[in-house]
Amino acid sequence: MKRYLRRLVKVKTKMKIQHIPFEKLADMAERRQSPKENEAMHSHLSDCQDCSNQLAKLEKLVNLMLTDTAEDAPPAVVARTLNMFRPREMKEEKPSIIERVMAVLSFDSRQLSPAFGVRSGQSVARQLLFSVGEHDLDLRVAPDDGAWVVSGQVLGECENGEVLLRGASASESAQMNELCEFTLPRVPSGKYSLVISFSNTEIEVPEFELKA
Amino acid sequence: MTVSDEKLVLACRKGDEAAWEALVNRYQRLIYTIPRRAGLDEDQSSEIFQDVFATLLRKLDEIEQPERLHAWIVTTARRLTWRFIKNEKSPAKTVSYGQDEDEGEAVQVPDDAPLPDEVLLKLEEQQKVRRAVAALDERCRKLIQMLFYQPVSPSYTEIAAALGTTEGSIGPTRSRCLQKMLRLMES
């Protein structure tokens, strides 16, 4: 009997709760209600979490819209931006012509001859600058505990750049970062050629020797 | 149903010019407004605007999470704006230390917060709302724009005349449209 009565109270209590219709909440969020209507609704809102939450969402939404003073970009600027885009060729569909260029040594921190070699006993990296058409290559070679570290940077655009160091005793490769810098893993002494590839260009650095 | 940022980025990667146009149109207002809110004039903001999209075009293949393009765009616009201000004009604020203002030594303090977080957050939220509006059916979109995006909101009578409907239907239609928007924004 007691259990039945408790259940009856719960059902009757539920039936009493009538939520505020969404349209009324929207009126309230937009301040379209009269003070009297507001007062009546506030009384319910103080007891009803669901209606309170719904009203809060509506008020926030309405406020965001009413205070939206964002500006459109000038039409001419938008038009120029649209024109930046050029439809791309799918790389696997069309072969591209690769331009191969030989790097020309323009500066050597040790003023070596074109048939250059790098000797151990130097405690600092050696810098070599090469000119390659529209690009420049800043190459650094440093001894590292009996081996050598070759690193550098391409000065100019180098999209998706890769570097390959090829020698009789070892070969290593590296990807360039977004600043066109690269650092190759250590390699032993020996003769090497260096090939740098990016876009449709391959730059070849003349064979050089790293020796102790 | 609007196309997701992720799908637009993938389509751009395949050379779809319409996808690029959709991306530009979707974000043009937000990207232009960020530098404007930071105090840059129209020409300066236009420069930032083009730099952001030029960067996006260049990095299109490298964006690892296209579904988070929104965050990438906001971060890039903010960074380029900050860099522009730092390089171009950033007049330093002077601050005095000491108990008495006359005794304190003036110290140059760079302005390192050209766009407060809360302003940026609001801009982003308003962008999301605009996207929800754009995803509405035409009738709802027109109604919402007339009610909430005009400098002076027209009366229900004027709105009803513009939409070719009765004044009594405006309230219920408005409710339906707002409910849709809330659902769109929560999804």
Side-chain angles (χ1 to χ4, degrees):
Chain A
M1 184 61 177
K2 275 185 185 176
R3 205 186 289 174
Y4 168 76
L5 285 171
R6 269 203 294 271
R7 252 190 248 150
L8 187 62
V9 167
K10 271 189 189 173
V11 167
K12 284 193 172 180
T13 309
K14 267 192 184 173
M15 283 170 64
K16 277 187 192 172
I17 297 175
Q18 287 181 356
H19 294 296
I20 300 172
F22 188 89
E23 191 173 340
K24 291 290 178 194
L25 288 173
D27 284 340
M28 200 170 183
E30 285 186 66
R31 310 275 191 269
R32 289 183 187 267
Q33 299 277 73
S34 67
K36 201 174 172 184
E37 284 171 312
N38 263 344
E39 202 182 315
M41 283 168 62
H42 271 300
S43 169
H44 172 82
L45 288 168
S46 59
D47 291 328
C48 180
Q49 195 63 48
D50 286 345
C51 288
S52 257
N53 290 344
Q54 190 74 293
L55 176 64
K57 285 180 190 173
L58 273 167
E59 282 177 332
K60 184 175 179 181
L61 176 60
V62 167
N63 178 264
L64 284 172
M65 290 192 285
L66 289 175
T67 58
D68 188 340
T69 53
E71 301 172 50
D72 282 317
V77 175
V78 174
R80 273 202 297 277
T81 304
L82 292 176
N83 286 336
M84 282 180 192
F85 188 84
R86 290 284 175 267
R88 296 171 170 193
E89 306 285 351
M90 297 298 288
K91 287 182 185 175
E92 53 270 20
E93 288 174 4
K94 284 189 183 179
S96 57
I97 297 171
I98 296 178
E99 184 187 10
R100 289 185 175 80
V101 288
M102 188 66 79
V104 176
L105 182 67
S106 58
F107 170 80
D108 179 0
S109 61
R110 284 282 301 272
Q111 294 180 339
L112 290 175
S113 68
F116 65 87
V118 179
R119 296 181 184 277
S120 68
Q122 298 163 221
S123 57
V124 295
R126 188 161 177 173
Q127 184 185 17
L128 301 141
L129 288 177
F130 295 87
S131 298
V132 197
E134 290 175 355
H135 296 81
D136 291 299
L137 170 63
D138 180 358
L139 195 67
R140 310 292 173 110
V141 181
D144 181 15
D145 195 22
W148 301 92
V149 173
V150 177
S151 62
Q153 184 181 25
V154 170
L155 305 173
E157 288 289 326
C158 70
E159 204 175 302
N160 301 318
E162 281 185 337
V163 183
L164 177 62
L165 185 68
R166 268 198 298 242
S169 50
S171 289
E172 292 292 350
S173 64
Q175 294 281 337
M176 286 193 233
N177 65 16
E178 60 189 15
L179 296 176
C180 304
E181 295 167 326
F182 62 89
T183 300
L184 290 154
R186 297 162 77 241
V187 293
S189 300
K191 287 186 181 177
Y192 293 89
S193 64
L194 187 71
V195 175
I196 298 168
S197 310
F198 54 89
S199 302
N200 295 329
T201 304
E202 267 188 12
I203 297 173
E204 190 171 341
V205 174
E207 190 182 77
F208 56 93
E209 187 175 8
L210 305 172
K211 61 183 179 182
Chain B
M1 186 72 122
T2 54
V3 181
S4 67
D5 283 350
E6 184 180 5
K7 283 189 177 163
L8 288 179
V9 169
L10 296 176
C12 284
R13 286 176 181 171
K14 291 178 184 170
D16 187 338
E17 207 162 339
W20 176 250
E21 187 174 347
L23 271 182
V24 171
N25 287 333
R26 179 171 291 178
Y27 284 105
Q28 59 89 10
R29 211 157 184 203
L30 177 63
I31 294 173
Y32 185 71
T33 301
I34 286 174
R36 290 289 279 149
R37 285 288 179 277
L40 301 190
D41 65 28
E42 290 180 7
D43 287 341
Q44 292 164 335
S45 299
S46 296
E47 194 179 323
I48 300 291
F49 179 91
Q50 290 186 121
D51 281 348
V52 170
F53 278 109
T55 305
L56 173 59
L57 202 49
R58 208 166 53 243
K59 302 276 187 183
L60 210 53
D61 290 332
E62 298 168 31
I63 294 176
E64 291 179 357
Q65 294 178 294
E67 68 277 10
R68 299 201 68 224
L69 180 69
H70 178 98
W72 186 96
I73 279 180
V74 169
T75 303
T76 303
R78 195 180 190 186
R79 180 171 54 82
L80 290 176
T81 298
W82 179 81
R83 195 193 290 174
F84 185 97
I85 290 172
K86 196 177 154 198
N87 291 340
E88 291 279 328
K89 60 176 192 176
S90 199
K93 288 181 187 168
T94 52
V95 179
S96 294
Y97 293 94
Q99 292 176 337
D100 190 320
E101 278 190 9
D102 292 334
E103 291 176 358
E105 193 175 41
V107 175
Q108 298 287 327
V109 176
D111 182 356
D112 62 358
L115 194 63
D117 284 349
E118 57 269 22
V119 173
L120 192 58
L121 183 63
K122 192 170 183 183
L123 286 177
E124 289 186 78
E125 287 181 324
Q126 286 170 330
Q127 166 77 3
K128 284 179 187 164
V129 171
R130 284 197 298 276
R131 277 190 70 171
V133 173
L136 294 172
D137 59 80
E138 194 184 336
R139 193 173 182 78
C140 267
R141 195 165 58 248
K142 278 187 180 171
L143 175 61
I144 294 294
Q145 282 169 345
M146 291 183 80
L147 278 172
F148 301 110
Y149 284 99
Q150 309 275 28
V152 177
S153 185
S155 65
Y156 274 15
T157 311
E158 289 167 319
I159 294 174
L163 296 180
T165 186
T166 60
E167 195 176 331
S169 70
I170 298 297
T173 307
R174 173 208 55 175
S175 298
R176 180 172 60 82
C177 299
L178 287 172
Q179 275 180 314
K180 271 191 191 175
M181 284 183 68
L182 287 173
R183 275 199 302 272
L184 280 168
M185 290 172 67
E186 282 167 10
S187 64

